Amino acid sequence: MSDSFLNKRTALVTGGTSGIGLAIASALGAAGARVAINGLGTPEQIDTAISKINKSGAAEARYYDADLRDAIAIEAMLQEVNAWSPVDVLVNCAGVQHTAPIAEMPVERWDALIAINLSAAFHTLRLSLPGMAERGFGRVINIASVHGLVASINKSPYVASKFGLIGLSKVAALEYASAGSRASGGITVNCVCPGWVETPLIEPQIAAKTNDLSIDRDAGIRELLREKQPSGRMSLPEEIAELVVWLCRPAAHNLTGTAIPVDGGWTTQ
Ligand code: NAD
């Protein structure tokens, strides 16, 4: 996947400062794109992310600091990115987790989680799709989760946000299905639905297992996987990124409105 088929294209990756988003931003850079990332992080983390994307071969890499809980900040970010270079590839990857039973879920956590995991994608979509349609090319990849396809206890806002993200993506896919042509590339909107992926997001859940069962980290990971993911293997962020890059290819022009599980068989059961 080292050809530069995204040369002269621009990608915006939310959640691009860490984990899966950083791997996606680097892989899009390796395919030749200009890459804009958004996300939280210390200045050192952001510098490290930008230099990783540049080293991957990106035409250019820039950081945008919008807090995705704030619709006005998202609008300002999209204006700035589009003024730099119109967005051809939009990856909504930012996401947060909070686990608690419904009756104990803090209301402010619910609101923040829905804002970051779902409403932010609505805003980036509504602000990007019309431009993509005018240019006849666009790729939107929303990083949902197996929790957009099946539920688990104690994850009410996360599961609600990811089911919502898949629904939102299907509507967008239909509304833009006829835009562009095979020659221009068309507009596609898809979700990728990972099971367990080795990133900072799942560390609290690993820690909870190791504490509850008084076991070490590796045993905690095995325990998490045993419950749900039949392959017994976590995915790596770079593996999710390869799929995202493939979805950007010209050959994927008719693959739209899907929710693709990468879950070691979790949702097959
Ligand atoms: P991560 O914690 O490494 O990255 C999350 C990203 O979201 C970070 O860049 C963070 O700065 C950003 N973010 C959080 N709050 C923000 C805010 N208010 N404004 C702007 N940015 C904000 O996690 P990850 O595992 O790489 O998760 C990326 C996506 O993948 C998420 O949507 C997550 O739900 C999804 N996912 C992860 C897994 C997994 O096992 N790790 C599984 C399925 C789905």
Side-chain angles (χ1 to χ4, degrees):
M1 287 266 184
S2 56
D3 59 315
S4 300
F5 76 101
L6 288 176
N7 226 323
K8 299 196 166 49
R9 302 283 192 200
T10 299
L12 168 61
V13 183
T14 73
T17 53
S18 173
I20 298 170
L22 178 52
I24 291 170
S26 303
L28 293 170
R34 279 186 216 96
V35 182
I37 57 165
N38 160 259
L40 307 178
T42 62
E44 293 73 33
Q45 281 170 322
I46 291 157
D47 284 351
T48 306
I50 290 290
S51 83
K52 184 173 177 201
I53 298 162
N54 277 324
K55 274 194 201 126
S56 74
E60 217 181 316
R62 291 195 182 185
Y63 170 71
Y64 295 84
D65 69 354
D67 185 324
L68 296 180
R69 288 169 295 188
D70 180 351
I72 292 168
I74 297 172
E75 202 154 334
M77 172 173 73
L78 263 294
Q79 266 171 15
E80 281 176 47
V81 178
N82 277 316
W84 172 48
S85 192
V87 174
D88 302 301
V89 175
L90 170 65
V91 181
N92 286 299
C93 185
V96 289
Q97 175 65 283
H98 186 80
T99 57
I102 290 174
E104 292 160 30
M105 185 62 72
V107 171
E108 64 280 8
R109 285 295 190 138
W110 169 277
D111 288 343
L113 213 144
I114 297 293
I116 296 163
N117 291 15
L118 177 57
S119 302
F122 162 67
H123 294 301
T124 57
L125 279 166
R126 75 180 171 82
L127 296 165
S128 302
L129 284 166
M132 290 176 178
E134 267 171 34
R135 298 186 297 280
F137 177 81
R139 294 287 184 269
V140 179
I141 297 105
N142 293 326
I143 306 303
S145 165
V146 283
H147 284 118
L149 300 168
V150 294
S152 293
I153 59 165
N154 298 337
K155 294 186 177 175
S156 53
Y158 190 81
V159 170
S161 70
K162 297 299 188 179
F163 269 75
L165 185 58
I166 291 176
L168 169 67
S169 306
K170 286 179 187 285
V171 174
L174 288 175
E175 287 184 3
Y176 286 85
S178 64
S181 62
R182 179 183 278 111
S184 67
I187 316 290
T188 69
V189 184
N190 292 288
C191 284
V192 173
C193 300
W196 294 115
V197 186
E198 214 168 327
T199 74
L201 184 94
I202 65 164
E203 285 304 321
Q205 294 171 75
I206 297 171
K209 278 275 174 250
T210 57
N211 289 340
D212 290 353
L213 303 173
S214 302
I215 50 180
D216 66 17
R217 189 173 183 279
D218 284 349
I221 291 171
R222 277 199 300 278
E223 227 9 69
L224 272 184
L225 292 169
R226 192 184 58 73
E227 283 172 4
K228 303 270 186 179
Q229 193 149 312
S231 67
R233 298 184 300 274
M234 283 214 239
S235 294
L236 299 176
E238 294 70 24
E239 295 162 356
I240 305 297
E242 279 198 34
L243 172 58
V244 169
V245 170
W246 189 82
L247 287 169
C248 295
R249 287 189 172 272
H253 71 96
N254 249 343
L255 203 165
T256 194
T258 69
I260 306 170
V262 186
D263 64 1
W266 181 329
T267 53
T268 298
Q269 298 167 95

